[in-house]
């Protein structure tokens, strides 16, 4: 396994904040307001206490220094963040109005991009303090803000993918038949942590008819000989995501099961080969969907072909019809077509792919052939 990457520096975070401020100005926004969550971590390296209801807000605007508004009791932790040297802290104490502290930092008539997970309570407080302001989500206004990864981010994503691959290789060695889905899911979670994940986001184990539900949560169904089993798992390693899917079979599969698996594998391969700079995100989806439709299963491919991945396991860009955003070198996303036959079984095969200068590169490299387990 790869070693621990060098930490991001204050200069790295400063460059990201400057990029966000420029992107906001280019989009006609007065600035960006970032609440606790993945955007704040990506921009500053700061992750405040998860349960805090007190206002914490990063204010970015072209031509002004970044300011992080924080509760006084949390300021010492904020000062320790890797990106803190690149910004100014402005604290407020309990009993005071945090919106009065924040309002002077904002254009009173401006339209601001706001991180998606900002609390409505805080936006309403800002609107009350500054009635002339308006707000739009970052997913709507700056969807590509985190989409293009630099070399250091790609290194982390590759390490996460390598760990997910190692997890898959190990899970093939465990017993499936006679065990509950939840037990195999527990094995997956343990393996992800063994191979360096600090956070496990999902461990889907969909056996038999449960595999026909793409987001089935591992339950108490006992896996039987003859079951197709969809495995979809991932989380965060070094702060960046993994997400891979493979479909295995308990004992020898039938001819139909092999055919469906082959159709999905071929669709996934075709979509991967379509990846290159300049094509639209929707084109990746179209290639996978065309292959599955031609095979007669078009109405059984019931989700998008892929989603972006970075400091979260699901983020823009999305490989779906209607998304005309062109692919750019450094983008990372899943390619994960599937076929789902209600009441019977499902098949999904997924790799994380990054766009290169002349095509695409997989960050998952385990076999996409159907594995037989016992």
């Amino acid at each position: 396994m790869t070693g621990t990457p060098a930490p991001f520096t204050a200069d790295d975070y400063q460059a990201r904040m400057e990029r966000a401020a420029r992107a906001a100005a280019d989009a006609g926004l007065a600035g960006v307001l970032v609440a606790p969550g993945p955007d704040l971590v990506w921009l500053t390296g700061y992750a405040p206490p998860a349960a805090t209801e007190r206002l914490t807000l990063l204010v970015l605007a072209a031509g002004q220094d970044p300011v992080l508004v924080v509760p006084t009791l949390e300021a010492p932790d904020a000062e320790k963040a890797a990106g803190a040297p690149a910004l100014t802290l402005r604290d407020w104490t309990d009993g005071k109005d945090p919106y009065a502290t924040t309002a002077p930092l904002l254009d009173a008539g401006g339209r601001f991009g706001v991180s998606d997970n900002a609390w409505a309570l805080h936006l309403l407080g800002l609107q009350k303090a500054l009635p002339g302001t308006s707000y739009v989500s970052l997913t709507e206004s700056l969807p590509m803000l985190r989409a293009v990864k630099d070399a250091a981010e790609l290194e982390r994503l590759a390490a996460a993918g390598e760990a997910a691959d190692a997890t898959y290789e190990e899970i093939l060695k465990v017993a499936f038949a006679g065990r509950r889905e939840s037990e195999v899911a527990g094995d997956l979670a343990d393996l992800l942590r063994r191979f360096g994940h600090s956070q496990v986001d999902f461990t889907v184990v969909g056996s038999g008819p449960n595999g026909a539900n793409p987001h089935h949560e591992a339950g108490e169904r006992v896996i039987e000989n003859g079951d197709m089993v969809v495995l979809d798992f991932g989380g965060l390693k070094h702060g960046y995501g993994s997400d891979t899917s493979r479909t295995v079979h308990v004992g020898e599969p039938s001819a139909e099961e092999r055919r469906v698996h082959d159709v999905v594998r071929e669709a996934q391969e075709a979509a991967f080969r379509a990846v290159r700079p300049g094509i639209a995100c929707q084109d990746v989806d179209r290639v996978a969907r065309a292959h599955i439709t031609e095979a007669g299963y078009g109405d059984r491919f019931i989700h998008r072909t892929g989603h972006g991945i970075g400091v979260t396991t699901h983020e823009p860009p999305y490989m779906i019809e209607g998304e005309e955003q062109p692919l750019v070198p450094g983008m990372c996303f899943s390619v994960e077509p599937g076929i789902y036959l209600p009441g019977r079984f499902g098949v999904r095969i997924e790799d994380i792919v990054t766009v290169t200068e002349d095509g695409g590169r997989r960050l998952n490299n385990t076999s996409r052939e159907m594995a037989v387990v016992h």
Side-chain angles (χ1 to χ4, degrees):
M1 305 297 288
T2 54
T4 302
F8 294 119
T9 67
D11 288 343
D12 293 325
Y13 291 114
Q14 181 176 2
R16 291 177 185 178
M17 288 188 280
E18 290 174 351
R19 189 168 93 191
R22 285 196 306 270
D26 291 344
L29 299 173
V32 175
L33 307 179
V34 185
D39 290 315
L40 187 63
V41 172
W42 183 76
L43 287 162
T44 70
Y46 177 49
T52 185
E53 75 285 359
R54 297 176 172 90
L55 177 70
T56 296
L57 198 69
L58 175 66
V59 179
L60 301 176
Q64 70 182 52
D65 292 336
V67 178
L68 181 62
V69 178
V70 294
T72 301
L73 78 168
E74 292 166 13
D77 289 333
E79 289 170 351
K80 297 174 185 175
L87 51 78
T88 299
L89 290 180
R90 185 163 299 184
D91 65 319
W92 61 276
T93 58
D94 282 356
K96 303 293 185 181
D97 182 356
Y99 311 111
T101 299
T102 308
L105 305 173
L106 308 186
D107 177 347
R111 182 169 177 79
F112 293 87
V114 182
S115 53
D116 295 2
N117 51 350
W119 286 26
L121 171 72
H122 297 320
L123 279 185
L124 292 169
L126 287 173
Q127 280 187 315
K128 184 176 180 181
L130 295 169
T133 54
S134 59
Y135 307 92
V136 61
S137 76
L138 285 185
T139 288
E140 180 181 344
S141 59
L142 298 175
M144 296 299 114
L145 182 61
R146 303 195 323 248
V148 178
K149 275 64 179 180
D150 61 26
E153 292 181 292
L154 289 173
E155 179 186 1
R156 286 162 169 78
L157 283 160
E162 184 182 0
D165 283 358
T167 294
Y168 176 66
E169 296 289 0
E170 288 297 312
I171 204 68
L172 294 179
K173 301 173 184 177
V174 310
F176 279 70
R179 300 177 69 212
R180 293 180 174 86
E181 292 173 339
S182 58
E183 293 177 277
V184 177
D187 290 341
L188 285 169
D190 290 344
L191 288 165
L192 285 168
R193 293 189 182 96
R194 185 205 300 179
F195 292 118
H197 279 61
S198 60
Q199 177 177 312
V200 175
D201 286 345
F202 48 88
T203 51
V204 173
V205 179
S207 64
N210 289 342
N213 175 2
H215 281 174
H216 170 71
E217 293 190 7
E220 297 308 297
R221 183 181 185 276
V222 175
I223 300 169
E224 302 173 356
N225 191 56
D227 279 348
M228 195 84 91
V229 185
V230 177
L231 305 173
D232 183 355
F233 50 93
L236 299 182
K237 178 176 180 176
H238 304 318
Y240 280 74
S242 69
D243 186 359
T244 190
S245 301
R246 295 290 185 265
T247 303
V248 304
H249 197 276
V250 186
E252 287 301 314
S254 68
E256 181 191 18
E257 288 169 330
R258 283 196 180 279
R259 178 174 183 271
V260 172
H261 191 278
D262 283 346
V263 170
V264 173
R265 179 177 52 77
E266 291 161 1
Q268 204 264 356
E269 177 69 18
F272 165 68
R273 291 190 178 280
V275 171
R276 63 184 182 277
I279 74 161
C281 291
Q282 67 182 3
D283 291 336
V284 179
D285 181 82
R286 287 174 176 178
V287 168
R289 205 165 297 278
H291 186 84
I292 289 174
T293 299
E294 184 178 350
Y297 296 99
D299 61 341
R300 302 270 51 97
F301 180 14
I302 56 177
H303 55 72
R304 64 197 176 205
T305 293
H307 57 80
I309 190 167
V311 292
T312 58
T313 48
H314 286 191
E315 62 186 46
Y318 297 102
M319 307 300 115
I320 186 63
E321 182 66 31
E323 179 50 81
E324 297 179 353
Q325 167 69 40
L327 299 187
V328 177
M331 282 182 175
C332 291
F333 49 85
S334 65
V335 177
E336 52 175 306
I339 293 174
Y340 307 93
L341 305 180
R344 300 183 63 207
F345 64 88
V347 175
R348 183 165 62 258
I349 300 173
E350 173 186 15
D351 296 321
I352 299 303
V353 172
T354 183
V355 184
T356 64
E357 293 297 330
D358 57 1
R361 175 169 66 95
R362 298 182 195 267
L363 300 186
N364 295 108
N365 294 291
T366 55
S367 173
R368 284 163 286 279
E369 300 291 337
M370 190 194 306
V372 174
V373 296
H374 303 284

